[in-house]
């Protein structure tokens, strides 16, 4: 089973990102869960979203997991949240930051022995440039596609267009650009 934990703030799109990822994974025939846990969900409040992916039915519904991937959408949460909680020796971290990977790791002691599994991309800048708003979930999905190798980029983009079909074409195009740019820029 592949387990993914998202660290975000309400309004940054982590719940939508987890659900979109779940929708696309479901097209592959795999079993998937996408859910979130949060309190009052006021804009800016910290929250966590989750995905589970497996070839067989997923019977657990608890938030407790040993994540294979930790996606940190809000850069401040990389510093204040326990993003390494219950990690494994293979857990990969994708963190939104304007800092270089080296500078980011230097500020987060818990990541210093995990440098080979840390990936950095500035999802906020990418979303501002491509979508026009700070909604960094689409760039994070692009970075995840690259790091995980779970999908070919073209397959993911085609299915994401279907997920976003209810939105105006301008929004769809911006999201496609954001996903592609993050896919190419994640380091």
């Amino acid at each position: 089973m592949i387990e993914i934990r998202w660290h975000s703030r309400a309004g940054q799109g982590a719940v939508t990102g987890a659900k979109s990822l779940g929708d696309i994974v479901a097209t592959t025939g795999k079993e998937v869960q996408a859910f979130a846990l949060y309190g009052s969900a006021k804009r800016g409040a910290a929250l966590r979203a989750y995905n589970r992916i497996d070839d067989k039915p997923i019977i657990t519904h608890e938030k407790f997991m040993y994540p294979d991937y930790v996606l940190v959408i809000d850069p401040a949460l990389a510093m204040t949240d326990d993003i390494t909680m219950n990690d494994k020796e293979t857990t990969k971290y994708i963190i939104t930051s304007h800092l270089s990977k080296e500078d980011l790791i230097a500020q987060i002691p818990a990541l210093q022995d995990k440098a080979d599994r840390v990936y950095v991309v500035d999802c906020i800048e990418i979303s501002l440039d491509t979508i026009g708003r700070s909604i960094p979930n689409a760039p994070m999905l692009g970075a995840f596609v690259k790091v995980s190798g779970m999908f070919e980029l073209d397959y993911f983009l085609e299915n994401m267009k279907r997920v976003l079909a209810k939105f105006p074409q301008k929004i769809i195009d911006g999201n496609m650009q954001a996903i592609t740019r993050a896919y190419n820029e994640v380091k």
Side-chain angles (χ1 to χ4, degrees), residues 20 23-24 27 157-166:
S20 297
D23 190 327
I24 294 170
T27 67
L157 289 171
E158 226 21 70
N159 279 282
M160 194 64 173
K161 285 178 189 173
R162 177 186 48 78
V163 169
L164 298 172
K166 67 182 179 184

Side-chain angles (χ1 to χ4, degrees), residues 8-184:
S8 180
R9 294 193 184 279
Q12 292 181 315
V15 176
T16 301
K19 289 179 180 179
S20 297
L21 178 60
D23 190 327
I24 294 170
V25 168
T27 67
T28 68
K30 292 188 179 288
E31 298 291 322
V32 65
Q33 285 182 350
F35 61 99
L37 295 172
Y38 46 87
S40 63
K42 291 181 181 175
R43 190 172 214 41
L47 67 86
R48 292 185 185 162
Y50 304 86
N51 289 101
R52 286 193 177 93
I53 302 165
D54 206 345
D55 292 323
K56 53 187 187 254
I58 303 169
I59 56 173
T60 183
H61 293 283
E62 60 188 23
K63 71 175 183 171
F64 180 81
M65 64 171 49
Y66 294 99
D68 296 281
Y69 298 92
V70 174
L71 312 180
V72 184
I73 291 183
D74 187 279
L77 293 177
M79 310 290 182
T80 61
D81 240 9
D82 184 5
I83 64 171
T84 62
M85 178 179 58
N86 299 324
D87 70 346
K88 304 188 285 192
E89 289 187 13
T90 56
T91 300
K92 293 182 180 178
Y93 300 86
I94 306 172
I95 302 172
T96 297
S97 182
H98 68 281
L99 299 174
S100 70
K101 177 178 170 175
E102 294 75 22
D103 289 344
L104 179 70
I105 290 171
Q107 293 184 27
I108 306 172
L111 292 179
Q112 291 178 3
D113 64 339
K114 304 167 187 354
D116 60 325
R117 299 182 280 127
V118 174
Y119 300 85
V120 176
V121 62
D122 195 342
C123 294
I124 293 174
E125 178 186 322
I126 292 171
S127 68
L128 287 169
D129 290 350
T130 58
I131 301 166
R133 294 178 58 200
S134 181
I135 304 177
N137 61 346
M140 182 56 75
L141 286 169
F144 173 75
V145 168
K146 175 75 171 257
V147 170
S148 71
M150 192 177 293
F151 303 99
E152 293 293 326
L153 179 60
D154 290 339
Y155 179 85
F156 190 83
L157 289 171
E158 226 21 70
N159 279 282
M160 194 64 173
K161 285 178 189 173
R162 177 186 48 78
V163 169
L164 298 172
K166 67 182 179 184
F167 293 104
Q169 191 62 45
K170 179 181 177 183
I171 303 246
I172 296 169
D173 293 344
N175 277 272
M176 296 304 106
Q177 291 171 9
I179 291 166
T180 303
R181 187 168 151 193
Y183 179 92
N184 291 320

